[in-house]
Every structure is written in structure tokens, then in C-alpha cells.
Amino acid sequence: MANVRKIINDPVYGFITIDHPLLLAIISHPFYQRLRSIHQMAFAHLVYPGAVHTRLLHSLGAYHLMCTALQELKGKGGVITSEEELGAKIAILLHDIGHGPFSHALEHELIPGVHHERLSLAIMQELNRQFNNQLETALAIFTGTHPKRFLHQLVSGQLDVDRMDYLNRDSFFTGVAEGVIGYDRIIKMLAVHRDNLVVEEKAIYSIEKFLLSRRLMYWQVYLHKTVVAAEKMLVMIIRRAKELIAAGVVVTAATEALEHFLHHGAAGEDRYQLLQDFCSMDDQDMAATIKNWSRHPDRVLSHLCQALVERRIMHIRLQARPFEEAFLLQTRREMAVKMDISEEEAAYFVFWGEASNSLYNPKNETITILYKDGSLKDISEVDHALINVKTTMPVKKYYICSFRIL
């Protein structure tokens, strides 16, 4: 097993090499293989039919970029031990393992208040137990407690390999050219300064393009109005199912695990069984459940499910200013009359909210430019910067979704 070497043919990067028995064992584990059945982009395929790639494919791509970045940093004199290199590869390979069905769309619905990164950490800790504590370094890198901070920044930061891969990959599968980035040049320009990740000044324009591409992909793809409407419909479906269950109505899910989370959330199980049940759920379970519920006697639940199955996505209107409350409430009242339901039930068919995205947030994590003279500057402070203080302000849009009546 010491000389294990497997290759995976990736449509974006070509051949990806798995060259360590522990990496191969993790990839072969059922917790990881579940990612084959979770879409990377949830409902984006309703708008961009090619966007059917999975979390597994993304994590392998991010792993490939991590391998490339580590080799580049080592080639520039960076001190990275074989244990740290393996730990960084494991950390990025498992960084998204805590995603549930339809990824971000249901992140706080099945297990309220629990972020996917917290679940990723819990699953990594369980895998560490199963693999006899061989993931200790990976856990330290993932949580940012490892003394070499740049390793964590490669996993999670403003310029991490996670973002590099999903922009490149999502652009590839959607056909949206605005997401194309010079990831190879950016990686070539990475360097380490006082244990922090920095970028050589020759990459300034590539970094600015990277940040702009991310902004464009958010508004054109990730926060596309039809995608947002479909994801919110799914949220409303789950909320209605939970409301019916609380009222004593029989609502049966496709699997016991999904049914447990709908009835009890994260309560009533020990940690190990909770992770086992969570890691047994995927998009297929949810899709089958929604299809079954489209014939449920409850009109609200069945209407929402049937519309989502048939791609009759809610009408959505977006604008830069908040909607007048009187308009929102009147629209809901009109829907109640049209569908002959109560205003409380109409809240599932007319609802509103806001979506926002930031181009660059220097308060969270900076992108530092390293000049030839050894000086350092934040990307927003360089001469003639395209990314500056004004452009770091988040862009917010307000929306109202309303059901399409046949």
C-alpha cells in the first residue's frame, strides 16, 4: 500500500493523482462517496442544464489545486513537512463533507442553526477516530490552529483553492465565461511571508480578475433569480412539512434518516448515530420525497412540490430598494383569495427577503500583495487599484416570490 497511486480523469484539469493510501482510504469511505449524489450548485441546473456536477468532483478539483500550490510553495523555499502536506490535502478533500441535500439551500433547515463547516468538522473528527488519529494535522489546518497559518488560508480564505476550483469548475459546467479565472497564474505567484499567504505583485491583475469573476458569478449564476426562487421553494416545502408534522399530520419521507431530521432535527440521537444518519442523506432522497409529497392531501405541500417537480418556478422580482410593506401584504392577501386559502397558508406562496454579495471583505481576510522590495499592501490599497474601499461595500437586492397559478 505504500506505493499506491491512482489517477482520476477530471474534465477541467485532466488527470488528478491520488498518491497516498490514507487519501485513497478517505475517498473510498461511504461518508465521502455520498458527495457523488449531492449537486455542487443545487438548483442551478434548472437555468444552466450543464450544471449537474457534484460536491465530490469539486472537492477532487480543490485537492488537485492544493497539490499544485504546495509544490509551488515548496519550490520557493517554503518549509512544508510531508505530514503537513498530507494534512493540507486531507483538509481540502474534506472541506465540504458536511454539506447535506441540495447544499446551501437547506443548510439551516434540516438542522437549524448548524453551519455546514461545523458538520464538516464533526465528520472529520469521526473519520479521525476511525483512522486511528491520522487526521490530527488535517484537523489543525482545517480549524486554523496549526502554527503555519498559510496552510489554513489555502483551505479557507479570500484566495483559497476552494474558491479557485468552484469558480473555474462552475464556469466550465454552466458555460458562463465571466467565471473563468487565471488560477494557474495565481498559484504560480503565491508565496509565504511570516507564515501568511501572500501574492507576488505580478499577479495583481489576475487577483482583481479573480475577485470580479466571483462577483459576476454570484449575480449571474449563484444568485440568479430563478435559482433563488427554486431554492426558496424548497425551503418552504421543508417548513410546511415540519409544520404539518408538528400538527400531527402524517408526512412520510423517502428514508428513515430524512424523516428523523424532519421530525426531531438533531435531537434524540447520540453523536455517532447522528453523523451516520446525516451522511446517509443526499439529493436523491430529497428529490424522491418531494415527488411523493406532490400527491400529499395537504394543498400547500402538494402544490409547492408539484410545481418544483415540473419546473414551474415561482415568479420573482428583484430591486435595489426594499419593497413597501403594504404592497407585500396586499400581494399575499390577493394570493389567498385566488387560491382560496388562509393568509397564513398564503405565506408559503408569497414571501420575500434579500440577497447580498461582497466583492472583497478586507475585515474578514485580506489578500496581501508582496512587492519586490519586500513591502506589503492589501489588494485594495495598491496603486490604481480596481478593488478599493468603495467596491468592498456589499451589494444588496430585495426580492418577492409569488406562486404561478395555472
Side-chain angles (χ1 to χ4, degrees):
M1 285 295 287
N3 296 319
V4 65
R5 186 173 183 272
K6 300 289 184 181
I7 58 172
I8 298 169
N9 197 350
D10 177 64
V12 176
Y13 306 120
F15 291 114
I16 296 174
T17 303
I18 311 297
D19 56 3
H20 193 282
L22 181 56
L23 293 172
L24 185 60
I26 289 171
I27 289 172
S28 301
H29 196 282
F31 286 1
Y32 186 83
Q33 286 295 310
R34 176 186 67 102
L35 298 180
R36 289 184 183 274
S37 298
I38 295 182
H39 282 101
Q40 169 71 10
M41 301 177 67
F43 285 110
H45 64 277
L46 296 179
V47 180
Y48 302 97
V52 292
H53 53 300
T54 65
R55 287 278 163 186
L56 182 140
L57 200 55
H58 159 62
S59 65
L60 288 172
Y63 159 83
H64 172 73
L65 295 185
M66 175 65 82
C67 294
T68 305
L70 292 172
Q71 285 302 113
E72 190 64 38
L73 294 176
K74 286 169 66 177
K76 293 180 179 179
V79 180
I80 305 173
T81 67
S82 57
E83 181 183 345
E84 291 166 345
E85 186 173 353
L86 179 61
K89 291 177 181 179
I90 294 172
I92 196 63
L93 203 59
L94 298 176
H95 77 283
D96 270 350
I97 201 167
H99 274 294
F102 290 102
S103 297
H104 294 288
L106 291 180
E107 185 152 349
H108 298 290
E109 296 301 321
L110 293 177
I111 307 181
V114 179
H115 193 269
H116 78 272
E117 289 186 354
R118 182 175 162 190
L119 286 166
S120 291
L121 177 58
I123 294 170
M124 287 177 68
Q125 290 169 337
E126 173 57 27
L127 289 174
N128 186 45
R129 185 190 67 80
Q130 293 185 23
F131 287 109
N132 300 316
N133 299 320
Q134 294 184 78
L135 276 65
E136 290 292 339
T137 302
L139 283 165
I141 291 170
F142 182 79
T143 56
T145 58
H146 193 280
K148 294 181 181 177
R149 181 164 173 74
F150 68 90
L151 294 173
H152 173 74
Q153 291 167 337
L154 284 172
V155 175
S156 179
Q158 290 275 14
L159 202 59
D160 57 42
V161 294
D162 171 30
R163 294 186 184 188
M164 286 190 214
D165 179 78
Y166 77 62
L167 286 176
N168 204 40
R169 187 170 302 277
D170 296 350
S171 174
F172 177 89
F173 280 98
T174 59
V176 177
E178 285 79 1
V180 175
I181 61 170
Y183 70 92
D184 46 355
R185 178 172 175 80
I186 293 173
I187 289 177
K188 284 287 183 183
M189 296 297 111
L190 292 178
V192 175
H193 180 81
R194 294 180 180 176
D195 281 329
N196 280 286
L197 198 65
V198 297
V199 189
E200 296 173 10
E201 66 174 302
K202 289 183 288 185
I204 287 176
Y205 300 125
S206 297
I207 299 300
E208 290 185 326
K209 172 65 165 57
F210 165 82
L211 292 171
L212 287 172
S213 294
R214 186 167 177 265
R215 162 67 68 84
L216 293 172
M217 284 291 285
Y218 263 88
W219 290 117
Q220 192 166 340
V221 179
Y222 308 130
L223 295 177
H224 185 287
K225 63 179 184 178
T226 304
V227 175
V228 170
E231 291 182 355
K232 297 304 178 185
M233 286 176 69
L234 178 60
V235 169
M236 289 298 169
I237 287 170
I238 297 300
R239 290 180 181 177
R240 181 59 175 180
K242 286 185 174 182
E243 183 181 29
L244 292 173
I245 289 168
V249 178
V250 176
V251 181
T252 306
T255 63
E256 289 184 11
L258 180 55
E259 193 161 329
H260 174 87
F261 282 104
L262 289 171
H263 282 76
H264 309 292
E269 287 186 331
D270 59 43
R271 178 187 173 90
Y272 175 76
Q273 191 58 49
L274 179 69
L275 293 178
Q276 288 286 338
D277 284 349
F278 180 82
C279 289
S280 71
M281 296 189 300
D282 55 36
D283 288 10
Q284 296 173 10
D285 301 329
M286 187 60 66
T289 297
I290 292 169
K291 189 175 290 187
N292 289 338
W293 286 349
S294 67
R295 298 183 294 273
H296 195 277
D298 179 71
R299 287 182 61 200
V300 175
L301 185 62
S302 61
H303 276 39
L304 288 170
C305 290
Q306 187 174 359
L308 192 56
V309 168
E310 296 175 356
R311 201 200 175 280
R312 289 188 287 110
I313 309 303
M314 285 188 173
H315 173 75
I316 183 170
R317 176 179 162 189
L318 294 99
Q319 63 183 41
R321 304 181 314 278
F323 291 91
E324 294 289 338
E325 185 177 5
F327 165 76
L328 296 172
L329 296 176
Q330 179 60 28
T331 304
R332 181 173 287 175
R333 284 192 290 268
E334 291 174 359
M335 182 65 68
V337 172
K338 289 178 182 178
M339 297 187 68
D340 190 24
I341 56 178
S342 68
E343 286 191 31
E344 289 76 14
E345 291 175 323
Y348 286 100
F349 298 102
V350 177
F351 50 87
W352 46 84
E354 60 184 54
S356 64
N357 175 250
S358 297
L359 179 62
Y360 175 62
N361 185 4
K363 294 180 180 179
N364 180 28
E365 182 79 42
T366 61
I367 296 178
T368 305
I369 305 300
L370 175 65
Y371 286 84
K372 292 179 181 178
D373 62 3
S375 61
L376 301 169
K377 279 187 180 181
D378 185 83
I379 186 67
S380 62
E381 298 172 345
V382 302
D383 295 337
H384 311 294
L386 185 62
I387 311 300
N388 52 49
V389 175
K390 291 182 179 179
T391 60
T392 60
M393 299 296 292
V395 175
K396 185 178 293 186
K397 292 185 180 180
Y398 300 86
Y399 65 83
I400 176 173
C401 290
S402 56
F403 191 69
R404 299 178 189 268
I405 301 177
L406 295 177

